[in-house]
Amino acid sequence: MTAGKVFDLVGWLAVAAMAAAGALFSGANHGWSPATLGYGALAGLAVFGLPLLLVALIFAWLRRH
């Protein structure tokens, strides 16, 4: 297994963990219907992914300047 494949795998596992955390949180607080879990998974991606995106954008901007 190459380093690139390991990096990709870790990235996909992180995305899955973010979605799972959001789904579990929404399910525990609002019920276990599929719609609630789906919206919770999307919210988990937004809540955990947005700060990572902002940090990456800041680093990209700092590298250019």
Side-chain angles (χ1 to χ4, degrees):
M1 185 176 269
T2 65
K5 288 191 184 260
V6 171
F7 187 77
D8 287 343
L9 178 63
V10 169
W12 281 110
L13 289 175
V15 169
M18 289 185 259
L24 289 174
F25 180 80
S26 67
N29 290 310
H30 303 292
W32 296 100
S33 74
T36 301
L37 297 177
Y39 286 123
L42 291 174
L45 290 174
V47 167
F48 293 115
L50 186 60
L52 293 175
L53 176 65
L54 291 176
V55 169
L57 289 174
I58 289 169
F59 278 126
W61 182 80
L62 289 174
R63 247 180 117 173
R64 290 185 194 171
H65 294 87

